[in-house]
Amino acid sequence: MASLQAGTVILTILVTVLITIQANSVHKEDISEVRYEPNWASIDSRPLPSWYDEAKLGIFIHWGVFSVPSFGSEWFWERWQGTDPKQKEAKYAEYMKNNYRPDWTYADFAQDFTAEFYDANAWAELFADAGAKYIVFVSKHHEGFCNWPTNVSFNWNSQMVGPKRDIVGELAQAIRSKTDLHFGVYHSLFEWFNPIYLKDAANNFTTQEFVLTKTLPELYELVNTYKPDIVWSDGSAGPDTYWNATNFIAWLYNDSPVKDTVVTNDRWGSNGIVCHHGGFLTCSDRYNPGTLQHRKWENAMTIDKQSWGFRREAVLDNFLTMEDIIETFVETVSCGGNMLINVGPTKYGMITPIYEERLRGLGQWLKVNGEAIYSSKPWSHQNDTITPRVWYTKNEGSVYATIFSWPNGTTNNLALGATVPSSSTTVTLLGYQGQFTWNKRASGGMTVNVPAIPVNQMPCQWGWVFKLTGITN
């Protein structure tokens, strides 16, 4: 009996010790956990999740009711019937006059947003083959049409009219089951013709009925339902205080189901927020400063030079060439940015061949040259000091010089003024066997001796990457 009592006492002591250790451990975790306050100073102090900087390339997808008229741009409704004379364009009214009955409304287009060929798995395969590491899908543009079965837009969403499908949900599932890409959503804060928003705007944004009944419920719904790793906000007409932006982002960073992985952009208010506050900076559409920036940024750009949505009237010259895209990409990464390249699917759910060709071409280039891009960091120089169209990145001790004009002339030499070689420096061309010889330049830098390479042995058609080791600067 005494032995049993002693054993019970020892067991009680052990359990007490374990409970105490566990409690102390939880207490320490609570103390060390960072909580972000609903103000920009605190929100801006949050470290950017590392996956985003390492990713470098994302795919933007603009798809909605505007894909039905597929004329002009995704701003079709505003350009046709907007109240701002600066936004309206005569060609939209003329297009409607020539092709639709006089009483046709924008809402009538929704029935023809059919999406019958929409295959989220095929999209996911294409985006992965393009070398992208994340996507940003337009869940709702300024027209207000929601591409998911939302509880706060019951008759203007993809489940109730048009496709009769959860477009966002299908793509989220495909991306996560078929690829290792991060899934993100774009969401427009405002809506051009929503009477509740227009009432708040008429009140100089001193009332918040639209925010409290529409915008915020949608954002919380998207995050809780689809758990996106990117919340890409847009349409910030009105101050950040009107949108309750800092309160939402604080919840996103502190308590949301994606609090450890999510990133946000800077479009959360029209009062000096853009290009100053948020997780990463977008500043303006097609933002490409050409110089190193003090904070992480993103170049959201289009393959179609004129539109984010699909346009039936587009001609070949309206699209960026592969060389345009690759040079824009390398320049963006060299200056510390990510590139978010946009495609606009058709109303029936196809990504047309020209978009597919550009994306797969970019993916082929990355299969050869990805080590100069993924997880790279800006180097001390972004472009070369003497040879134009040369952009630098660095990765794990190596410097990468991407050139867009192949050396020509009798010597085929590549002069690099920014790189200072050492006795251990080696030079190789990604995708090509063997090392190249080099010489120090008397005026500084180095000259790479580039041999004549048969065209069928060239590693790629545009954007050739030289890997340099042992660079001292």
Side-chain angles (χ1 to χ4, degrees):
M1 179 66 71
S3 175
L4 180 60
Q5 288 177 338
T8 303
V9 170
I10 292 171
L11 181 60
T12 302
I13 292 172
L14 287 173
V15 171
T16 303
V17 169
L18 287 172
I19 291 174
T20 303
I21 291 172
Q22 186 178 28
N24 288 339
S25 175
V26 171
H27 180 64
K28 288 178 181 177
E29 288 176 1
D30 289 343
I31 291 174
S32 62
E33 183 179 355
V34 175
R35 300 282 298 179
Y36 296 96
E37 299 298 322
N39 61 69
W40 289 117
S42 179
I43 286 169
D44 291 345
S45 72
R46 177 183 183 255
L48 193 69
S50 59
W51 75 260
Y52 178 80
D53 179 57
E54 294 167 358
K56 307 304 181 187
L57 180 64
I59 308 292
F60 218 171
I61 308 104
H62 275 68
W63 200 31
V65 173
F66 52 80
S67 305
V68 177
S70 53
F71 173 82
S73 81
E74 72 290 346
W75 278 58
F76 184 95
W77 194 5
E78 175 71 8
R79 298 288 193 259
W80 171 35
Q81 293 184 316
T83 57
D84 185 351
K86 295 180 181 178
Q87 300 289 2
K88 293 184 73 171
E89 295 182 30
K91 69 176 184 179
Y92 291 87
E94 187 69 15
Y95 172 82
M96 292 302 299
K97 178 182 176 181
N98 293 338
N99 295 282
Y100 293 89
R101 65 176 188 261
D103 61 344
W104 189 272
T105 69
Y106 188 79
D108 291 327
F109 283 121
Q111 64 188 346
D112 294 325
F113 183 30
T114 51
E116 66 265 35
F117 296 129
Y118 171 46
D119 182 347
N121 290 327
W123 285 20
E125 183 277 327
L126 171 60
F127 301 151
D129 194 53
K133 299 301 181 183
Y134 63 95
I135 71 159
V136 177
F137 181 68
V138 171
S139 67
K140 185 191 79 170
H141 200 256
H142 311 322
E143 65 187 12
F145 187 86
C146 297
N147 281 324
W148 79 100
T150 174
N151 292 322
V152 291
S153 186
F154 72 93
N155 65 343
W156 192 232
N157 70 72
S158 64
Q159 189 70 61
M160 298 300 293
V161 64
K164 307 292 180 63
R165 297 163 67 175
D166 180 1
I167 290 173
V168 174
E170 289 181 35
L171 188 56
Q173 171 64 23
I175 290 293
R176 289 174 174 137
S177 64
K178 303 294 184 182
T179 77
D180 60 357
L181 277 68
H182 291 263
F183 178 77
V185 293
Y186 163 110
H187 176 268
S188 174
L189 294 174
F190 86 131
E191 298 171 13
W192 286 314
F193 298 100
N194 191 300
I196 306 174
Y197 168 75
L198 295 175
K199 179 182 176 182
D200 283 350
N203 292 334
N204 199 28
F205 301 109
T206 57
T207 56
Q208 289 183 294
E209 184 179 356
F210 181 75
V211 175
L212 299 177
T213 63
K214 193 73 163 58
T215 301
L216 286 177
E218 287 176 351
L219 282 169
Y220 285 113
E221 191 176 72
L222 283 167
V223 173
N224 286 317
T225 304
Y226 303 107
K227 299 176 178 56
D229 286 334
I230 303 171
V231 176
W232 213 100
S233 180
D234 196 17
S236 51
D240 62 313
T241 50
Y242 167 71
W243 297 114
N244 280 356
T246 54
N247 286 285
F248 171 75
I249 299 174
W251 170 81
L252 195 64
Y253 289 175
N254 292 327
D255 302 307
S256 78
V258 288
K259 63 186 179 67
D260 296 324
T261 57
V262 73
V263 295
T264 61
N265 65 335
D266 56 348
R267 301 188 183 190
W268 294 98
S270 57
N271 54 325
I273 306 304
V274 177
C275 213
H276 293 92
H277 299 294
F280 59 88
L281 307 182
T282 64
C283 298
S284 61
D285 292 349
R286 304 175 182 88
Y287 179 65
N288 189 15
T291 57
L292 184 63
Q293 300 300 294
H294 70 286
R295 287 186 58 187
K296 185 65 185 183
W297 60 281
E298 183 177 75
N299 178 2
M301 48 77 73
T302 59
I303 295 175
D304 179 344
K305 301 172 189 177
Q306 300 180 20
S307 175
W308 299 83
F310 174 73
R311 293 187 305 129
R312 288 179 290 168
E313 81 276 21
V315 297
L316 182 61
D317 190 54
N318 294 154
F319 294 88
L320 296 179
T321 66
M322 279 307 313
E323 186 173 25
D324 292 333
I325 291 169
I326 293 171
E327 188 161 8
T328 298
F329 183 36
V330 173
E331 179 181 349
T332 296
V333 173
S334 177
C335 295
N338 282 12
M339 187 172 80
L340 185 63
I341 186 170
N342 179 76
V343 297
T346 66
K347 68 171 187 173
Y348 42 88
M350 293 297 294
I351 295 174
T352 53
I354 193 162
Y355 285 117
E356 181 180 356
E357 188 270 344
R358 297 296 191 264
L359 292 185
R360 293 195 190 277
L362 183 55
Q364 287 300 311
W365 186 87
L366 280 164
K367 286 179 175 68
V368 175
N369 302 295
E371 70 176 88
I373 299 297
Y374 300 123
S375 301
S376 67
K377 301 292 182 183
W379 189 48
S380 59
H381 292 72
Q382 278 60 66
N383 47 12
D384 195 59
T385 54
I386 57 175
T387 300
R389 302 183 74 200
V390 177
W391 295 92
Y392 291 104
T393 55
K394 68 175 182 180
N395 206 347
E396 296 185 353
S398 297
V399 174
Y400 298 84
T402 304
I403 70 170
F404 288 90
S405 294
W406 187 257
N408 54 34
T410 57
T411 60
N412 280 354
N413 291 336
L414 172 62
L416 299 175
T419 54
V420 178
S422 66
S423 59
S424 63
T425 292
T426 63
V427 180
T428 54
L429 177 66
L430 295 187
Y432 182 78
Q433 296 296 318
Q435 294 187 10
F436 295 175
T437 61
W438 56 269
N439 302 300
K440 278 190 173 181
R441 289 172 52 84
S443 56
M446 61 191 295
T447 297
V448 179
N449 305 308
V450 182
I453 301 175
V455 67
N456 64 346
Q457 294 181 29
M458 290 292 286
C460 49
Q461 192 171 349
W462 314 272
W464 304 275
V465 182
F466 287 87
K467 179 179 181 179
L468 300 90
T469 66
I471 299 300
T472 61
N473 58 334

